């Protein structure tokens, strides 16, 4: 059974600081997705990582995938208040099923 | 493009009532899915479809039915609502290619309360 764990679950950080969110999964998968959710809103796709060693960057966010370690990271560089949200990773279980992590609630303090 | 739309936005049901949550997309995506989101549990897949006439169960399918008669629509039916089905429901869609789906586009959600 595929399980996906994110840590930390909650993260409060100062503006301008760097931090990393971790996503571990329990069985082999070569596709990993990161989503963002603002409070009371829907989910928005951030990154799709399709192969071992994949790295993608958008603004202050960078995601990477290590399929051998079954680990993805979402790195935040010089955080700003607008990045405050909940971040989810999701892993495919079989071709069309997705298992989501429980989410990391990020709060960036001014 | 309207993207993925869901109706209603809010719904209150009494235990034992039935209802259908509507989901439609105008992006011609083959893949559509339903999730429920509960506090502290992330999103859990209820049912999904890879095309008209093709549906399959996800992680938590009990108490829910789906059908897919067109590419655009993917309704979710609750036959006999229970308080445990109180949740926020999201519908999503994505294109398919290479044997897998790409990132999903999510609808705005339906907040359902069962009393």
């Amino acid at each position: 059974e595929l399980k996906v764990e994110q840590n930390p679950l909650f993260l409060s950080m100062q503006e301008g600081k760097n931090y990393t969110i971790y996503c571990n999964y329990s069985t082999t998968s070569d596709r990993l997705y990161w989503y963002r959710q603002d409070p009371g809103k829907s989910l928005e796709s951030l990154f799709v990582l399709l192969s071992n060693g994949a790295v993608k960057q958008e603004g202050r966010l960078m995601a990477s995938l290590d399929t051998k370690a079954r680990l993805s990271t979402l790195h935040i560089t010089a955080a700003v208040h607008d990045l405050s949200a909940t971040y989810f990773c999701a892993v495919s279980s079989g071709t069309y099923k997705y298992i989501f992590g429980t989410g990391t609630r990020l709060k960036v303090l001014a | 493009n309207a993207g993925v739309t869901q109706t209603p936005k809010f719904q209150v049901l009494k235990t034992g009532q039935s209802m259908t949550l509507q989901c439609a997309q105008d992006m011609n995506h083959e893949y559509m899915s339903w999730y429920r989101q509960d506090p502290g549990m992330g999103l859990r897949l209820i049912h999904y479809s890879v095309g008209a006439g093709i549906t399959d169960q996800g992680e938590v399918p009990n108490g829910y039915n789906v059908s897919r008669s067109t590419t655009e629509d993917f309704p979710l039916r609750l036959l006999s609502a229970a308080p445990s089905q109180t949740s926020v429901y999201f519908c999503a869609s994505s294109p398919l290619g290479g044997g897998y789906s790409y990132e999903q586009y999510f609808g705005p959600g339906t907040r359902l309360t069962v009393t």
Side-chain angles (χ1 to χ4, degrees):
Chain A
E1 179 187 353
L2 175 59
K3 293 187 178 180
V4 180
E5 292 186 351
Q6 285 183 237
N7 67 84
L9 297 182
F10 300 97
L11 177 57
S12 180
M13 56 191 299
Q14 296 289 330
E15 275 193 333
K17 299 293 186 181
N18 303 334
Y19 210 84
T20 300
I21 298 171
Y22 298 89
C23 174
N24 291 89
Y25 53 98
S26 60
T27 64
T28 301
S29 175
D30 58 2
R31 301 192 299 281
L32 191 136
Y33 307 81
W34 283 97
Y35 292 89
R36 168 182 171 147
Q37 184 179 37
D38 292 311
K41 303 294 185 181
S42 186
L43 281 79
E44 173 189 2
S45 176
L46 292 174
F47 301 109
V48 180
L49 303 170
L50 298 177
S51 61
N52 186 44
V55 177
K56 291 198 174 180
Q57 184 165 2
E58 180 73 33
R60 302 176 186 272
L61 300 177
M62 183 174 70
S64 64
L65 177 61
D66 182 343
T67 58
K68 295 179 181 178
R70 297 176 186 168
L71 171 69
S72 179
T73 60
L74 181 65
H75 186 72
I76 303 157
T77 301
V80 293
H81 180 71
D82 286 351
L83 290 179
S84 296
T86 299
Y87 294 86
F88 292 95
C89 63
V91 180
S92 64
S93 172
T95 307
Y96 301 120
K97 294 185 179 181
Y98 297 87
I99 304 297
F100 277 73
T102 52
T104 295
R105 187 180 299 176
L106 171 65
K107 185 172 184 179
V108 181
L109 305 172
Chain B
N1 284 352
V4 180
T5 58
Q6 292 183 237
T7 57
K9 291 186 178 180
F10 302 93
Q11 183 70 49
V12 179
L13 290 179
K14 295 187 176 182
T15 298
Q17 287 185 318
S18 63
M19 80 159 296
T20 299
L21 307 185
Q22 301 292 342
C23 174
Q25 52 94 7
D26 62 359
M27 297 174 283
N28 202 32
H29 288 168
E30 300 95 333
Y31 183 87
M32 295 186 75
S33 56
W34 276 102
Y35 295 86
R36 59 178 291 171
Q37 183 175 31
D38 301 297
M41 299 190 73
L43 278 78
R44 292 181 292 169
L45 180 64
I46 304 172
H47 286 285
Y48 68 94
S49 168
V50 296
I54 306 170
T55 64
D56 204 348
Q57 297 180 348
E59 197 181 358
V60 288
N62 292 342
Y64 307 95
N65 282 350
V66 292
S67 60
R68 182 109 178 258
S69 57
T70 67
T71 299
E72 294 78 19
D73 300 298
F74 190 43
L76 178 72
R77 298 184 187 84
L78 285 71
L79 297 180
S80 180
S84 61
Q85 293 178 305
T86 293
S87 188
V88 180
Y89 291 85
F90 288 101
C91 178
S93 74
S94 78
L96 291 177
Y100 59 87
S101 69
Y102 296 91
E103 71 267 48
Q104 297 181 78
Y105 296 80
F106 283 81
T110 295
R111 187 174 298 272
L112 175 67
T113 302
V114 183
T115 62

